[in-house]
Amino acid sequence: MEPTAGGLVSRAARELSSRADELTTDVQRRLLRELPALWDDPDVARMAGENVAEHIGAALFGLEHAIEARLIELPPADLERAQILARHGIPLSAMLRAFRLAEEIVLDRLLAELPRLSDDAKQVSEAARQLNAMSTMYVDRVSEQGVVAFQEERDRRLRWRSAMVNEAGMRIGTTLDIARTAQELADLATDHFADVVTVDLLDTVLRGEDVAEGPPVLRRMARGPADGPDPQDAIAPQQLHIPADGSPSAQALASGRPSRHQHGRGRGVPRAHSSLAVPLRARGTTLGVAEFHRLANPARYDDEDLLLAQEIAARAAVAVDNARRYTHARATAVTLQRSLLPQEVPQQSAVDVAYRYLPAGSGAGVGGDWYDVIPLSGARVALVVGDVVGHGIRAAATMGRLRTAVRTLADIDLPPDELLTHLNDVVVRVATEACTDPDAEPGADVGGDNGATCLYAVYDPVSRRCTLARAGDVPPAVLVRDGTAELLDPPPGPPLGRGGLPFETVEVDLPEGSLLALYTDGLIGAPDHDADAGLTALRQILARSASSLEAACDTVLEALRPGRGDDDIALLLARTRALGADRVATWDLEADPAVVARARSDVSRQLAAWGLENLEFTAELVVSELVTNAIRYGRSPISLRLIHDRTLLCEVSDASSTTPHLRRARVLDEGGRGLLLVAQLAGQWGTRHARRGKTVWAELDDSAEFPALAFG
């Protein structure tokens, strides 16, 4: 019985199946010629060859039964390999082209076999027609199911990439620490799509310098996995190195474009079969380069992997740039802050001091805390701590202005409450200027948020009395010699710049050797305890014996703030001294010109007792002029006081509030030369006001010589 057209096709397919290897070789030869990109990678070539070989076998089997069954399906193996090949970067068009080439060759061979198997031209023609029709159906079905498989794989990868980008937004840039941000990038990549990751930043960028000529110098900031073994030639963290000419990292830095590489290897990285080099760029600046390597993962990086690495690297670059800018701004603020603080304590005899300034941790900007020790007339000393609200360079600059203002106001010997009143006006003026600054960025810190706190204390070693006033809520602490620590509680005034209530003073007598602790609120306030608990702990720590004031400072800081908090700390410890009666001489004087000669005699005898005979002539002249001015222009009671400190202090007090002024006398004037004489004889002189009256004082150095005077 003559075979049917379908039987003729089946017979041709069975005979070709016996020569499937020959057919597969022919298909692969044509694929290599027409789709060379499909065979760049040996693993991909092997998988593609297997896919095509199985496809040919399935096509022969399918066409053998196609005419009878009328049902063509893509074998499951084709679907699985299609997804694998998609992950290897083989595009859909390439695989479909491979399938179509296989179909064309199979169809050509089958059509060539038909005339050999039958002499019936009509039967051969019908078989060829049916074969062409079923082959078209098969290829269409292959194309349709292949497209679906690739689309499903593409959608899955898009969802995965979106999830990765979202995860990068949460995991990268959690702090303003550059090294930690770089390590977060490396950790994320090694968790999901790389076996080894390195992150290098340009050293010039880290130092805030312009890009230097010559080969780029990189600093290794991170390597992932962080806990993995390092090769012998691994680059250590923070180590400087220069990428080799033509290396992927050098190309990425030079061009600013990412790239994919096969069989790459960087220093300290085992040989990888697939690598990505992605520059880290933010705000138009190249910061460094990140390299991603696959060693154990057989999948080769494709364009979608490169796009994902770019997106993650872009987020990391912005985070690194933010951290870099913050680090530079903070370093500038710290430098400014420290330069505006006292570099050394001035010489004075009233107190022994130790001090500390501790900037906030890296997560917070530098604040405006400060301390100061200011010598005053009459052997007194002013102790100051203050805190400008806010952080950053503006807060540090505002602190410098306030510290200068305090020293200026202290030089005119204002009482503590009056000094804080004037300082309040300075803060208001500074805040007003900052708010009207046309160069200020929107939302920027404008000079301390219109507020500051300050504690101002004046200690007199003669009377052993301390006068204090405060703007803000932080009270000073004092430790007396019997070991009792307590808090001094001057009436709290409003923070500077807020106004509303007057500032008040409180006076306390301090025995010699008392320890006075002045500090800002960063010392006692912490997340794990409230201010009251901090004050209690401070009193307990001060009550413990310490070998020195320096050791006491360290003990206080270690106990209350073992780590860097979110606020600056200024701490000033002062141990009081006293000038005994043997160092001070006082006389009450009548408002009679005749007492001037007696005052000179008293001064001469006292200087002889102190062994200061070399100052006798100068001191008699100064005392004569000051007493004469008090008798002529002041009011009773009048007193004269000598203090033997580091220098000789001469003070004349009276009940008048009129301030004497230095002026140049004309040639024919008979008076007006007294203060000019005092100014030329004394190292310093001035006037300080009390609640009643004033004191005119002059400071004489025992090494001073009588100057040549010119009054004309």
Side-chain angles (χ1 to χ4, degrees):
M1 182 176 63
E2 287 292 331
T4 62
L8 191 62
V9 172
S10 298
R11 182 180 171 186
R14 284 194 300 272
E15 292 196 13
L16 281 179
S17 295
S18 63
R19 303 197 305 274
D21 292 342
E22 174 190 341
L23 199 59
T24 299
T25 300
D26 189 14
V27 171
Q28 290 181 350
R29 188 181 298 112
R30 288 187 58 182
L31 288 176
L32 181 61
R33 184 174 63 253
E34 299 188 28
L35 296 173
L38 199 63
W39 314 94
D40 287 344
D41 188 292
D43 293 334
V44 174
R46 176 183 54 78
M47 296 186 68
E50 293 175 356
N51 205 34
V52 171
E54 289 198 14
H55 182 75
I56 291 173
L60 292 171
F61 178 80
L63 291 174
E64 180 182 351
H65 302 280
I67 298 175
E68 302 290 341
R70 296 290 193 271
L71 180 63
I72 304 296
E73 294 290 347
L74 187 64
D78 282 0
L79 289 172
E80 294 175 3
R81 282 201 175 84
Q83 294 175 346
I84 295 174
L85 290 170
R87 287 194 289 273
H88 276 75
I90 303 303
L92 170 63
S93 58
M95 282 310 301
L96 290 181
R97 178 59 178 155
F99 290 160
R100 289 182 183 277
L101 281 174
E103 293 299 331
E104 291 175 5
I105 293 174
V106 169
L107 180 61
D108 290 344
R109 290 295 182 89
L110 285 173
L111 291 175
E113 288 290 326
L114 293 179
R116 188 180 63 81
L117 297 176
S118 175
D119 295 332
D120 188 338
K122 183 177 180 181
Q123 187 183 56
V124 170
S125 176
E126 177 62 20
R129 184 189 65 77
Q130 293 185 20
L131 184 60
N132 275 312
M134 293 311 300
S135 178
T136 300
M137 289 177 59
Y138 187 85
V139 171
D140 289 344
R141 183 64 61 86
V142 166
S143 300
E144 177 185 345
Q145 295 186 15
V147 167
V148 171
F150 273 78
Q151 285 179 338
E152 289 178 351
E153 177 64 19
R154 183 191 61 187
D155 292 343
R156 184 194 67 79
R157 297 196 68 191
L158 285 175
R159 290 192 298 270
W160 176 75
R161 193 176 77 198
S162 178
M164 284 290 299
V165 172
N166 291 336
E167 185 176 350
M170 293 184 291
R171 290 180 55 178
I172 300 176
T174 59
T175 67
L176 288 171
D177 181 84
I178 298 176
R180 181 169 177 179
T181 300
Q183 190 61 52
E184 288 170 346
L185 167 61
D187 292 342
L188 174 71
T190 52
D191 285 348
H192 295 287
F193 68 98
D195 296 321
V196 175
V197 178
T198 59
V199 182
D200 298 300
L201 299 181
L202 288 167
D203 189 54
T204 53
V205 169
L206 292 173
R207 296 200 308 267
E209 301 174 358
D210 296 332
V211 178
E213 296 182 358
V217 178
L218 296 173
R219 185 179 294 274
R220 176 59 50 84
M221 300 303 297
R223 184 182 188 276
D227 56 352
D230 291 333
Q232 292 182 352
D233 61 345
I235 300 173
Q238 300 299 320
Q239 181 180 343
L240 296 176
H241 64 101
I242 298 176
D245 291 340
S247 64
S249 57
Q251 294 176 11
L253 291 171
S255 66
R257 294 190 298 271
S259 58
R260 284 189 291 135
H261 303 272
Q262 296 183 46
H263 310 297
R265 189 181 191 278
R267 181 181 170 190
V269 178
R271 186 171 182 82
H273 70 83
S274 187
S275 300
L276 302 175
V278 183
L280 299 174
R281 290 181 55 82
R283 301 178 176 94
T285 301
T286 299
L287 308 177
V289 61
E291 291 190 85
F292 308 85
H293 305 277
R294 279 181 174 170
L295 287 67
N297 188 340
R300 186 179 64 179
Y301 284 125
D302 59 15
D303 290 337
E304 290 193 8
D305 291 322
L306 185 60
L307 181 60
L308 172 62
Q310 282 183 266
E311 293 178 347
I312 294 176
R315 288 179 176 266
V318 171
V320 167
D321 192 49
N322 290 340
R324 178 181 68 95
R325 289 168 177 258
Y326 168 79
T327 300
H328 292 164
R330 186 175 187 276
T332 302
V334 169
T335 302
L336 175 62
Q337 174 86 345
R338 293 193 181 279
S339 68
L340 295 175
L341 291 172
Q343 302 303 306
E344 59 182 17
V345 176
Q347 293 185 348
Q348 44 79 38
S349 302
V351 293
D352 294 321
V353 297
Y355 46 86
R356 294 288 187 275
Y357 169 72
L358 191 67
S362 59
V366 174
D369 292 21
W370 89 93
Y371 58 86
D372 213 342
V373 179
I374 308 172
L376 302 177
S377 64
R380 298 168 305 137
V381 65
L383 306 173
V384 190
V385 293
D387 181 6
V388 174
V389 178
H391 295 87
I393 293 178
R394 285 186 176 271
T398 301
M399 178 276 291
R401 297 179 67 175
L402 297 188
R403 177 173 176 253
T404 301
V406 170
R407 296 187 70 89
T408 302
L409 296 170
D411 284 344
I412 59 177
D413 264 320
L414 288 178
D417 55 343
E418 293 185 21
L419 183 143
L420 291 182
T421 299
H422 287 284
L423 190 61
N424 178 79
D425 297 337
V426 174
V427 172
V428 172
R429 184 165 59 253
V430 169
T432 302
E433 292 173 356
C435 290
T436 58
D437 183 2
D439 297 327
E441 297 181 1
D445 178 6
V446 289
D449 193 29
N450 192 28
T453 63
C454 183
L455 174 64
Y456 186 82
V458 176
Y459 174 69
D460 187 344
V462 176
S463 65
R464 302 172 191 174
R465 178 165 295 178
C466 186
T467 305
L468 309 96
R470 59 171 168 156
D473 298 328
V474 180
V478 64
L479 174 70
V480 296
R481 296 192 70 174
D482 63 2
T484 303
E486 59 183 20
L487 297 177
L488 301 179
D489 194 18
L496 299 172
R498 304 294 172 84
L501 295 174
F503 301 102
E504 302 179 48
T505 60
V506 64
E507 294 184 353
V508 293
D509 293 328
L510 297 177
E512 183 179 4
S514 299
L515 179 62
L516 193 63
L518 284 68
Y519 50 90
T520 54
D521 58 357
L523 179 67
I524 59 174
D528 56 347
H529 61 259
D530 57 18
D532 291 338
L535 289 172
T536 300
L538 175 61
R539 292 172 56 190
Q540 295 172 349
I541 296 167
L542 291 177
R544 304 171 189 167
S545 60
S547 59
S548 66
L549 289 180
E550 296 292 335
C553 276
D554 294 335
T555 301
V556 169
L557 292 178
E558 290 172 2
L560 293 180
R561 298 305 292 271
R564 296 290 181 90
D566 295 332
D567 198 3
D568 290 20
I569 296 173
L571 173 64
L572 177 61
L573 297 183
R575 191 177 301 281
T576 62
R577 294 178 178 177
L579 290 177
D582 59 331
R583 307 289 293 275
V584 181
T586 306
W587 298 273
D588 294 328
L589 306 176
E590 297 87 5
D592 183 353
V595 304
V596 176
R598 188 170 69 248
R600 286 199 299 266
S601 299
D602 292 338
V603 168
S604 178
R605 286 192 298 271
Q606 187 61 57
L607 292 182
W610 285 339
L612 300 177
E613 291 87 350
N614 59 325
L615 283 177
E616 181 178 337
F617 180 71
T618 305
E620 287 183 356
L621 282 177
V622 170
V623 168
S624 295
E625 295 298 334
L626 295 182
V627 171
T628 299
N629 279 348
I631 293 172
R632 181 176 297 179
Y633 304 110
R635 295 203 309 260
S636 297
I638 301 172
S639 64
L640 168 64
R641 184 170 73 165
L642 297 182
I643 301 175
H644 183 198
D645 190 24
R646 296 175 179 272
T647 58
L648 178 64
L649 303 174
C650 303
E651 299 182 344
V652 176
S653 303
D654 69 86
S656 173
S657 298
T658 303
T659 302
H661 295 286
L662 181 67
R663 68 182 179 88
R664 181 177 293 276
R666 293 185 294 271
V667 175
L668 299 179
D669 288 348
E670 295 184 1
R673 295 179 175 85
L675 288 180
L676 181 60
L677 176 64
V678 171
Q680 295 194 37
L681 293 175
Q684 297 184 71
W685 77 279
T687 303
R688 68 173 181 268
H689 291 268
R691 299 300 178 187
R692 294 181 181 179
K694 67 178 181 299
T695 298
V696 182
W697 57 272
E699 180 179 306
L700 306 179
D701 192 334
D702 60 3
S703 63
E705 298 180 357
F706 192 80
L709 304 178
F711 298 107

